[in-house]
Amino acid sequence: MVFIGALLIAGFVLVTGWNLLGARELKQQQQIDSKTFFDLVKLSFGVVAGAGALVALVVAYRRQRVDEDAALRDTTRLHNERFTTAVSQLGDTSPTVRLGGVHALVGLADDAPTRELRQTCIDVLCAFLRLPYTAASDLPAGDSAAQHDYVALREARHTVIRLIGDHLRLPADHPHSWQGHNFDFTGVVFDGGDLSEANFTGGTARFSGAIFAGGFFRFNGAKFHSNVDFYRASFAAGTVDFGSATFIDGSVGFEAATFSGGIVNFLYARFSGGVVSFAGAAINDGTLNYNGAGFNRGDVHFNGVTFTGGNVLFRQARFIGSLVDFDSAQFSGSEVDFSHAEFIGGTVDFSDAEFIRGDVDFRNASLARGVITIDDASAGSGVITGLA
């Protein structure tokens, strides 16, 4: 086929070349001389050689694509076989086999031939964390077997969290980086873990309905360039640390979350263009610490929140063009502290808030083109101090 095509091209070149002689108004001849004919033949064979090389290149490219597709199919088949084995290990009752399954699945994610297969491995690891889990505080007293099972399962779960953090700390261009993937921790019971310095760029991280039952969970120094969801999460004990974390153009949603103890720490965190929302949350106890945090067009919403205990601290926080919204919030026993905070073109809105008890402190706060709005607020025995 290649030879026939080349002959057709040669004939086409001869005819076209002869016609061009007339097109350029060169001297017409009834017969061409040997020199002209020889030049046309050389031109034809040059074109044929080029066409042949092009056809050979196309054939080689198609053969390469076929070989690559076959290699991908073989790699995917091998991946699926290893995946099945790893998942079986992950569900094993033996702590050693289960821990081996965790590492096997993480290795599969790193070696996955496609992004979709890597996401599948991540989904299974997150699903493992979502399995029923009893925290140490809920274990039957004196049950050594239950305690042993708890320690073994806790080791596997914390290993999953640690390895996810390790991969989210890698640069985005690293072949084993998991940045840009989705992580679903819906309903997971956390009793500690470390995602410090993790980079959540692209993708989503869902902690909706998660229960922070104790221990120390670290997000300190993490970078959030995407949305993080803590909807209806429960913070019952321990510490969740977002200290020095960076939030850029994303949102962190604590809507309808319950704070009944422990500490959620945003000490010196930086918010740029993002939103942190506690709308509809219930803050019954514990501490929300934003001391020293910086908000540059980053908003914090406490609208509709019920404060019945605990502290919300914004000491020395800096607000530049930001909104802190307490619209329709109810204060019946909490302290909200804005002492020494700096407002540059920002707004703090207490419209329709209800102060039954508690204290909102603005002593030594600096208002440079900032606005504090208390329209239609209802004052009971609660106190707002530091306002001129």
Side-chain angles (χ1 to χ4, degrees):
M1 292 296 294
V2 174
F3 177 73
I4 295 175
L7 288 178
L8 291 174
I9 292 173
F12 174 77
V13 171
L14 282 170
V15 173
T16 303
W18 178 251
N19 289 336
L20 286 174
L21 293 176
R24 296 183 180 179
E25 297 182 355
L26 298 178
K27 181 179 179 182
Q28 297 284 336
Q29 299 183 36
Q30 295 297 324
Q31 296 182 345
I32 60 174
D33 57 29
S34 59
K35 182 178 182 306
T36 303
F37 179 79
F38 184 68
D39 289 341
L40 287 174
V41 169
K42 287 197 298 182
L43 176 62
S44 300
F45 277 104
V47 173
V48 169
L54 178 61
V55 172
L57 181 63
V58 171
V59 171
Y61 172 74
R62 293 187 62 184
R63 184 180 296 114
Q64 179 182 357
R65 287 293 303 273
V66 170
D67 292 342
E68 289 176 350
D69 291 343
L72 179 60
R73 285 194 297 271
D74 290 340
T75 303
T76 302
R77 177 179 54 79
L78 179 60
H79 174 92
N80 290 337
E81 293 173 357
R82 293 172 57 196
F83 177 83
T84 301
T85 301
V87 171
S88 298
Q89 292 176 324
L90 196 62
D92 200 279
T93 56
S94 167
T96 304
V97 174
R98 185 168 53 214
L99 192 59
V102 170
H103 287 280
L105 203 56
V106 170
L108 272 175
D110 289 340
D111 297 337
T114 67
R115 182 179 179 84
E116 290 74 17
L117 288 175
R118 173 173 290 177
Q119 182 64 60
T120 298
C121 294
I122 293 172
D123 289 343
V124 173
L125 290 170
C126 292
F128 173 72
L129 295 176
R130 293 197 300 270
L131 292 175
Y133 177 66
T134 302
S137 58
D138 297 327
L139 292 175
D143 191 336
S144 59
Q147 180 69 26
H148 180 271
D149 291 342
Y150 161 75
V151 171
L153 184 55
R154 183 178 187 271
E155 174 66 20
R157 292 168 62 88
H158 281 230
T159 299
V160 171
I161 297 169
R162 174 175 59 82
L163 292 174
I164 289 175
D166 289 344
H167 286 77
L168 288 174
R169 295 183 192 102
L170 295 174
D173 57 354
H174 192 285
H176 294 164
S177 174
W178 292 0
Q179 290 187 40
H181 286 279
N182 300 322
F183 298 88
D184 187 356
F185 303 111
T186 301
V188 172
V189 177
F190 292 105
D191 54 358
D194 187 1
L195 291 176
S196 60
E197 305 291 337
N199 196 328
F200 293 90
T201 300
T204 58
R206 297 187 60 190
F207 293 84
S208 53
I211 299 172
F212 293 86
F216 204 106
F217 201 100
R218 294 175 173 85
F219 288 101
N220 51 296
K223 297 177 178 61
F224 296 91
H225 295 248
S226 57
N227 297 332
V228 185
D229 179 16
F230 289 89
Y231 176 73
R232 290 191 179 279
S234 174
F235 299 86
T239 298
V240 181
D241 185 14
F242 292 91
S244 299
T246 303
F247 300 85
I248 300 177
D249 294 330
S251 66
V252 183
F254 291 90
E255 292 91 345
T258 301
F259 298 84
S260 55
I263 298 172
V264 181
N265 178 36
F266 291 91
L267 185 68
Y268 296 110
R270 292 292 177 264
F271 300 85
S272 179
V275 175
V276 180
S277 177
F278 292 86
I283 300 176
N284 305 319
D285 199 359
T287 300
L288 295 178
N289 183 3
Y290 287 91
N291 288 344
F295 298 85
N296 187 355
R297 303 181 315 281
D299 299 340
V300 184
H301 296 280
F302 290 96
N303 48 301
V305 171
T306 301
F307 297 87
T308 57
N311 303 309
V312 183
L313 309 177
F314 289 95
R315 297 176 191 144
Q316 297 181 327
R318 195 164 190 257
F319 301 88
I320 303 175
S322 300
L323 168 67
V324 183
D325 180 13
F326 290 92
D327 181 40
S328 301
Q330 184 181 79
F331 297 87
S332 58
S334 296
E335 176 190 2
V336 182
D337 188 354
F338 286 95
S339 60
H340 299 279
E342 184 178 4
F343 297 88
I344 303 175
T347 300
V348 181
D349 185 7
F350 288 97
S351 298
D352 297 309
E354 186 176 0
F355 296 91
I356 300 172
R357 287 184 295 111
D359 181 18
V360 181
D361 185 1
F362 284 94
R363 284 176 293 186
N364 298 309
S366 172
L367 294 174
R369 303 185 306 279
V371 177
I372 298 176
T373 303
I374 57 174
D375 296 341
D376 299 318
S378 173
S381 60
V383 178
I384 301 179
T385 59
L387 292 181

